[in-house]
Amino acid sequence: MSLTFYLVFPFVILFLPKRMLLPMLALVAGASIIYRSVGYFGYGSVFTMYVHTFSRLDGLAEGGVVAILWRDDRFREWLRRNLSGWTKAVGILAFGFIPLVVGMSNNVASTTAAWGHTYLALLYSALLIYILGSLGSENLKYLRNEKLQKLGRISYTLYLVHPLMLSAIYIGGRQPEALHSFGAVPLSALALVLSLWWSYVSFRFFEKPLTDWGRKWTY
């Protein structure tokens, strides 16, 4: 899903006039929200909502918006002057977690399709802008922790690998994939440890050598 976006989006940036990028990304995000909602509420397709590329593009498009804004000197200057207000806005937006948790406790799929995924994408984008605007500040010194940095380096691989590892461990243990009893806790813990190990090995021996090689090129 995300790989499709990452393969296509560079060509969009290359060929589309710069002034059209933000409107295009806003259009993609809006269309994705509609597609996801229609797929679930119109056709009852949970598969479409979670798996189809078009139903997940709003979060990726918003990431593109953040990247474009952060490269704009005028936006960075605006954020510097208004960081206090932005911080308050992020704090207010975070309160949306309360109805999100309540809604997901009743029905995960409908809550996600209706507004949950959109809310999380907006919250993450707003939080990312806050972090970028607060680089080097005392408030965020915990994010510069060395252990968190190491976890960040393997986070994408961990995101990709952990569902497969979790399923494999539960299948091997002949258990349904759910925390239905205390016996399932060791299986989940083992899946976490193996996922972290696999992600580290992948980064150390595969991803890092490739990224180091890629940084030798100028473009």
Side-chain angles (χ1 to χ4, degrees):
M1 176 264 298
S2 58
L3 293 179
T4 304
F5 180 83
Y6 296 144
L7 288 172
V8 172
F9 190 48
F11 291 98
V12 174
I13 294 175
L14 181 62
F15 294 110
L16 197 68
K18 186 177 179 180
R19 68 180 185 278
M20 296 298 297
L21 284 175
L22 286 176
M24 182 274 296
L25 288 170
L27 181 63
V28 168
S32 178
I33 293 169
I34 294 171
Y35 182 88
R36 183 170 59 245
S37 298
V38 171
Y40 180 75
F41 293 107
Y43 298 93
S45 176
V46 177
F47 178 84
T48 296
M49 182 179 70
Y50 283 113
V51 177
H52 281 196
T53 297
F54 293 118
S55 67
R56 312 289 281 184
L57 280 179
D58 51 330
L60 295 168
E62 288 169 32
V65 169
V66 172
I68 292 170
L69 289 177
W70 189 246
R71 292 173 66 90
D72 190 308
D73 294 336
R74 294 169 299 175
F75 177 79
R76 292 201 302 272
E77 176 60 24
W78 176 89
L79 184 63
R80 186 188 64 79
R81 296 195 310 267
N82 298 277
L83 186 59
S84 176
W86 189 271
T87 303
K88 293 176 182 177
V90 173
I92 293 171
L93 190 60
F95 278 102
F97 254 104
I98 298 174
L100 179 68
V101 171
V102 172
M104 293 184 73
S105 65
N106 294 319
N107 191 315
V108 174
S110 64
T111 300
T112 304
W115 65 278
H117 182 79
T118 304
Y119 164 75
L120 288 174
L122 287 171
L123 177 63
Y124 179 78
S125 298
L127 184 60
L128 181 57
I129 290 174
Y130 163 73
I131 292 172
L132 289 171
S134 305
L135 292 176
S137 72
E138 189 69 15
N139 293 336
L140 297 181
K141 64 180 182 180
Y142 63 92
L143 292 179
R144 297 189 287 273
N145 180 277
E146 185 178 350
K147 292 180 180 179
L148 287 180
Q149 291 181 35
K150 290 180 179 179
L151 182 61
R153 293 187 189 104
I154 66 171
S155 60
Y156 189 68
T157 306
L158 183 62
Y159 154 70
L160 294 175
V161 165
H162 84 273
L164 303 176
M165 198 68 73
L166 195 64
S167 295
I169 294 299
Y170 271 87
I171 290 172
R174 300 181 182 274
Q175 296 286 333
E177 195 174 321
L179 283 173
H180 61 285
S181 66
F182 285 110
V185 174
L187 294 177
S188 296
L190 177 60
L192 174 61
V193 170
L194 291 177
S195 297
L196 289 168
W197 173 80
W198 183 279
S199 300
Y200 170 77
V201 170
S202 173
F203 176 79
R204 175 67 178 82
F205 297 103
F206 179 68
E207 298 164 46
K208 190 177 185 300
L210 284 178
T211 54
D212 288 346
W213 175 78
R215 290 192 180 103
K216 296 178 181 178
W217 297 82
T218 57
Y219 53 91

